[in-house]
Amino acid sequence: ATQVHATITPNVTGSGVEVMLGAPLNGPVRVELTDATGRLLMTDRMKGSSIAVPMEALPAALYLVSLEHEGRTIASFKIIKN
């Protein structure tokens, strides 16, 4: 398995976050935003090595951003929306 370096900023936000890969991967990277119950709120494909995840319209809560590549989760981050 390939080691993937990914970061997200900020992890506490009022508006949204940016997800960044240390290096682009071959093939599409799927980005999912779910709430604490696991309900899927957004899905998108990362183009290049970063993507913005807007969260302005969501209520204050804990969320999870996950990255998937070639059918497996390569990174996940807990985000606090305030």
Side-chain angles (χ1 to χ4, degrees):
T2 304
Q3 184 66 27
V4 176
H5 177 72
T7 56
I8 195 163
T9 58
N11 64 348
V12 177
T13 185
S15 59
V17 295
E18 184 175 11
V19 183
M20 294 154 289
L21 293 175
L25 297 173
N26 290 329
V29 176
R30 179 180 161 110
V31 180
E32 292 185 345
L33 175 66
T34 56
D35 66 13
T37 67
R39 185 171 54 112
L40 183 63
L41 303 173
M42 184 213 84
T43 182
D44 202 350
R45 290 198 183 274
M46 185 179 286
K47 296 164 184 69
S49 59
S50 70
I51 188 170
V53 179
M55 299 176 70
E56 294 91 345
L58 299 174
L62 178 68
Y63 296 93
L64 185 70
V65 174
S66 301
L67 305 181
E68 293 182 6
H69 181 253
E70 296 179 342
R72 66 183 183 95
T73 300
I74 57 172
S76 60
F77 304 94
K78 289 181 181 173
I79 305 299
I80 297 169
K81 167 74 167 42
N82 56 15

